[in-house]
Amino acid sequence: MQVEVPGIQANVPGVHPAWLPPDAFRAAGTRRVLVLADDSEVAGTVRAEVADACERHGGAVVAPGAAGDLVLALSTAGDLPPAVQASRGQEPGPEGFVLGRRDGVTVVLADHPAGLLYGWFEVVRRGAAAFGEDWPAEVHRPALRRRMLDHWDNIDVHPVMGQVERGYSGGSIFWRDGVPHEDLTRVRAYGRLLAATGVNAVAINNVNVHATEARLLTDRLAEVAAIAAELRPYGIRVHLSVNFASPIALGGLDSADPLDEGVRAWWARTTERVYETIPDFGGYVVKADSEGQPGPFAYGRSHADGANMLADALAPHGGVVHWRAFVYDHRQDWRDRSTDRARAAHDHFAPLDGLFRDNAILQVKYGPMDFQPREPISPVIAAMPATRLAVELQVTQEYTGQQRHVCYLGPMWSEVLGFRFWGPGERTVAEVAARGGLVAVSNVGDDPYWTGHPLAQANLYAFGRLAWAPDLDPAAILDEWIGLTFPGGDDLVRGTLHEIMDGSWATYERYTAPLGVGFMVRPGHHYGPDVDGYEYTPWGTYHFADRDGVGVDRTRATGTGYTGQYPAPWSEVYESRSECPDELLLFFHHVPYQHVLQSGTTVIQHIYDTHFAGAEEAAGMRLAWEKLAGSVDPALYARVRERLDEQVRCAEEWRDQVNTYFLRKSGVPDAHGRRIY
Ligand code: GCV
């Protein structure tokens, strides 16, 4: 049963409209709009969007030849009105558009229907500002070619992980009780929300592909086709996570060896059938030889052999394989100090550079570990110039508060995308990944607010916007999201939301694991503090705290040598205790508690100070939210309020456990004499 949210205007009954409430279309919907497009499905969407907005807000769709004050035109359409001429000759490409205003007419001109759709949503985003003074034509093109969300949805409810692995927003929007939802309206609404941010690909099932889900590739393919049909009108292609051992599990073969002719033929045939059913199918996502998933190692083959076999099966149909680089030994012995999980992806993949097919995309998590609130950027991204790379982020908040905590991740992703491995003026991560793409694990479920915590919608929004334009200011994206989602919001509403959310990642970092050391979460579900939770487990994540100091020595001089995986200047910066940025110090160095940071504080005092400050800031967020009682929808108010109570409680728990742990280990008292247990 879908829970009804009272008092909201919704496109799907009972479901919050997120950043597309009808009011967000007011400015565009009051115009006289001319659409000059083709018969494609996406162009049909643009027409339907325009018609709907005009019907709601009193505008009109006008016929060719009539005067309009908003024109959305394909460059291939005939009879382009004079206002459009100024926008011609700019080559916006397959998904881009040209946007300008001349003689009181706002013009979106695109070469392809997808560009028209993205241009329409840009006009919506700008609201009244899209119809003020004239401005010269601007070209908008996505910086990254594929902007993709990966769902970790299962069909069946997994006994440990639930229906959506690391999902904090209820069940799947695709399946319930082992079968697809009868009504997929919600999937279409999801596609619409994503298209409005620029996302163009969705992988619909978990990368840990269990027995039932493996069959989506074969006898349950119709379910994939049904989902693809809902997303296609919004320019989104569907991808599927597949199990590397499918030839055995589904095909009855006795091997999945990527160099075996029978295996290769099985994948070729199976893939052909996929394309017969879904001609615009995007491709496969594969987690192989990782955390228990099968892979090419069983046959003495490399990851390139595995990826290329699937790439070859997909190539005749224009598909791609996203092969994940999340490969490490999760059966380590904590006594063995030479094994370093941070090194693993680079050790495995850097030697394979140049060996992957052009339609094999290596999908690399942004950090070398696992989506921690603070990690250095994965050196794999710098090490494979002859390979198409996609960077993977995590919108679902596995390690950042599980959608019970407010944690706006735009600023983190902006830092990741803008990072320059080779120093100032050199290429950014976003530029390196331009041919591959930006991928993120979705935070969406069948919750009436989509994301459990209503404010977590901003992360989904920010992901799409940054994937399109990585140099956007994350604070501006936040304001954009606030403006769209709370269209009638006054200064109090807008200002308070900004105040609560903009610094929330920094706050979260303050009350959790210090100075980049990471983890310290409860094993298994990963929520809440447990300083030694993983310290002596086989997963290989350690902080090495003892009575003298804390942190992991990853230097070349005395540690695991991980710093050597970076190019200069970072290989030198990270190697040096005095130059290593404070926020990553404990990721790279084991230091005494009295080590003085660049900030001038000792490590131990920094731990105390940030933990007291972080918990206080969380309490401040709740106080700020209370100012909005009566100013936002009551149900939404209550949902956020209830989660802030939990955030404040949990932040105090983190503060007290981390501070107490380090006081007991170090014996160094807090310089300010605050209460530590
Ligand atoms: C889907 C982490 C998560 C796992 C996830 C894995 C991955 O280890 O805890 O739930 O598995 O990352 O990215 O494959």
Side-chain angles (χ1 to χ4, degrees):
M1 272 293 291
Q2 212 124 55
V3 184
E4 284 287 323
V5 182
I8 59 166
Q9 298 170 293
N11 309 304
V12 182
V15 177
H16 189 262
W19 48 87
L20 294 182
D23 261 1
F25 295 82
R26 187 168 298 282
T30 53
R31 308 288 139 181
R32 292 169 58 78
V33 191
L34 174 61
V35 182
L36 295 168
D38 57 17
D39 294 335
S40 66
E41 208 165 341
V42 172
T45 303
V46 176
R47 284 196 192 88
E49 285 283 334
V50 167
D52 184 65
C54 288
E55 197 177 310
R56 278 178 200 282
H57 298 294
V61 180
V62 300
D69 49 5
L70 171 60
V71 178
L72 298 145
L74 278 183
S75 52
T76 48
D79 287 340
L80 293 176
V84 173
Q85 300 306 333
S87 300
R88 301 208 69 167
Q90 308 258 16
E91 297 188 15
E95 296 182 302
F97 57 91
V98 183
L99 176 64
R101 186 163 167 87
R102 194 184 159 102
D103 303 330
V105 181
T106 299
V107 175
V108 176
L109 182 66
D111 288 341
H112 299 275
L116 222 48
L117 182 67
Y118 296 131
W120 159 250
F121 282 122
E122 176 67 25
V123 170
V124 171
R125 220 173 358 252
R126 292 191 186 195
F131 303 98
E133 298 288 299
D134 282 6
W135 77 85
E138 312 157 349
V139 190
H140 296 254
R141 291 184 199 96
L144 290 115
R145 172 164 168 182
R146 190 167 291 97
R147 306 169 301 280
M148 177 172 186
L149 284 161
D150 282 5
H151 280 253
W152 287 353
D153 295 23
N154 301 312
I155 297 177
D156 291 331
V157 177
H158 186 271
V160 180
M161 290 297 173
Q163 186 173 20
V164 180
E165 181 154 346
R166 310 307 179 185
Y168 312 103
S169 311
S172 167
I173 58 168
F174 305 124
W175 295 281
R176 179 184 295 159
D177 300 332
V179 290
H181 282 271
E182 214 167 281
D183 176 3
L184 291 176
T185 320
R186 182 126 194 209
V187 175
R188 187 173 289 238
Y190 182 50
R192 180 171 184 248
L193 287 171
L194 295 186
T197 72
V199 165
N200 64 1
V202 172
I204 60 174
N205 64 310
N206 191 358
V207 290
N208 292 327
V209 187
H210 309 296
T212 306
E213 294 75 14
R215 291 168 46 211
L216 288 168
L217 179 63
T218 51
D219 53 309
R220 296 188 72 148
L221 188 57
E223 296 170 28
V224 185
I227 293 167
E230 299 298 331
L231 296 176
R232 184 174 298 115
Y234 285 97
I236 295 169
R237 291 171 80 166
V238 158
H239 298 238
L240 197 63
S241 294
V242 296
N243 189 306
F244 191 79
S246 294
I248 302 172
L250 306 172
L253 306 190
D254 58 5
S255 168
D257 182 348
L259 300 192
D260 179 292
E261 279 313 317
V263 171
R264 298 176 66 82
W266 185 87
W267 278 109
R269 264 197 325 272
T270 303
T271 305
E272 204 173 301
R273 271 199 297 272
V274 172
Y275 279 90
E276 276 161 22
T277 312
I278 311 166
D280 61 348
F281 179 70
Y284 300 139
V285 180
V286 187
K287 173 176 178 175
D289 289 315
S290 166
E291 298 186 331
Q293 293 297 304
F297 286 171
Y299 308 96
R301 312 297 184 197
S302 73
H303 282 279
D305 293 332
N308 289 343
M309 169 189 64
L310 296 175
D312 290 345
L314 289 156
H317 314 284
V320 293
V321 55
H322 282 239
W323 189 271
R324 295 178 83 230
F326 183 59
V327 177
Y328 69 102
D329 179 2
H330 70 286
R331 294 198 184 88
Q332 281 175 226
D333 184 342
W334 62 269
R335 299 165 194 85
D336 166 19
R337 296 190 64 144
S338 66
T339 310
D340 179 5
R341 175 170 167 180
R343 291 189 56 112
H346 188 282
D347 284 345
H348 280 292
F349 287 95
L352 302 179
D353 186 35
L355 299 182
F356 289 92
R357 302 274 192 271
D358 199 48
N359 65 329
I361 295 169
L362 190 66
Q363 186 166 310
V364 187
K365 288 191 183 185
Y366 69 85
M369 303 298 271
D370 192 13
F371 299 135
Q372 298 304 293
R374 175 74 69 177
E375 289 188 41
I377 313 302
S378 171
V380 177
I381 299 166
M384 304 190 64
T387 306
R388 276 172 77 185
L389 294 177
V391 173
E392 184 178 314
L393 307 172
Q394 200 180 38
V395 184
T396 192
Q397 290 172 239
E398 176 176 1
Y399 296 101
T400 50
Q402 304 203 346
Q403 280 133 258
R404 290 186 243 181
H405 298 217
V406 180
C407 188
Y408 173 55
L409 293 165
M412 183 215 276
W413 300 332
S414 165
E415 266 185 43
V416 170
L417 293 165
F419 183 76
R420 296 175 198 271
F421 278 104
W422 298 276
E426 300 294 332
R427 280 180 312 151
T428 62
V429 164
E431 284 161 352
V432 175
R435 286 196 320 129
L438 193 67
V439 180
V441 186
S442 178
N443 63 349
V444 154
D446 69 358
D447 169 66
Y449 291 101
W450 296 96
T451 52
H453 200 310
L455 305 189
Q457 289 177 3
N459 286 329
L460 190 62
Y461 183 82
F463 166 74
R465 296 288 287 133
L466 285 170
W468 180 283
D471 49 3
L472 286 176
D473 172 6
I477 296 176
L478 176 61
D479 288 336
E480 210 175 83
W481 174 79
I482 294 170
L484 290 165
T485 307
F486 299 87
D490 57 14
D491 287 352
L492 176 74
V493 171
R494 287 199 303 271
T496 305
L497 281 162
H498 188 102
E499 176 194 334
I500 291 172
M501 297 175 73
D502 194 27
S504 54
W505 167 48
T507 293
Y508 187 83
E509 185 180 13
R510 281 186 197 109
Y511 62 73
T512 54
L515 296 166
V517 76
F519 283 89
M520 296 192 175
V521 290
R522 287 201 190 279
H525 58 63
H526 296 167
Y527 185 74
D530 189 344
V531 178
D532 278 339
Y534 274 111
E535 190 66 2
Y536 307 105
T537 71
W539 298 87
T541 51
Y542 308 118
H543 55 69
F544 295 111
D546 59 19
R547 65 180 185 177
D548 300 319
V550 56
V552 188
D553 185 353
R554 294 195 159 101
T555 62
R556 304 192 282 293
T558 52
T560 67
Y562 169 75
T563 58
Q565 294 185 340
Y566 287 87
W570 291 101
S571 53
E572 300 307 322
V573 173
Y574 291 146
E575 178 77 6
S576 154
R577 240 189 220 196
S578 56
E579 279 178 54
C580 179
D582 282 353
E583 68 274 11
L584 287 169
L585 185 71
L586 300 184
F587 192 91
F588 286 103
H589 297 273
H590 184 86
V591 298
Y593 291 111
Q594 300 290 9
H595 174 86
V596 179
L597 295 166
Q598 293 179 41
S599 69
T601 318
T602 62
V603 165
I604 188 70
Q605 194 55 43
H606 173 94
I607 293 176
Y608 299 148
D609 289 349
T610 48
H611 284 77
F612 282 113
E616 223 169 89
E617 286 162 22
M621 288 177 177
R622 182 169 61 183
L623 272 182
W625 183 250
E626 283 169 356
K627 290 190 285 189
L628 298 190
S631 298
V632 294
D633 173 75
L636 184 143
Y637 177 84
R639 171 72 77 96
V640 174
R641 171 62 218 240
E642 154 229 313
R643 298 208 172 207
L644 281 165
D645 284 347
E646 167 54 17
Q647 181 167 7
V648 172
R649 185 207 64 76
C650 190
E652 287 172 357
E653 191 65 36
W654 270 99
R655 175 196 66 196
D656 292 337
Q657 289 206 22
V658 172
N659 283 347
T660 300
Y661 181 94
F662 285 104
L663 174 66
R664 290 182 188 174
K665 280 267 169 192
S666 70
V668 181
D670 172 31
H672 306 297
R674 287 164 291 194
R675 178 149 197 212
I676 299 179
Y677 296 85

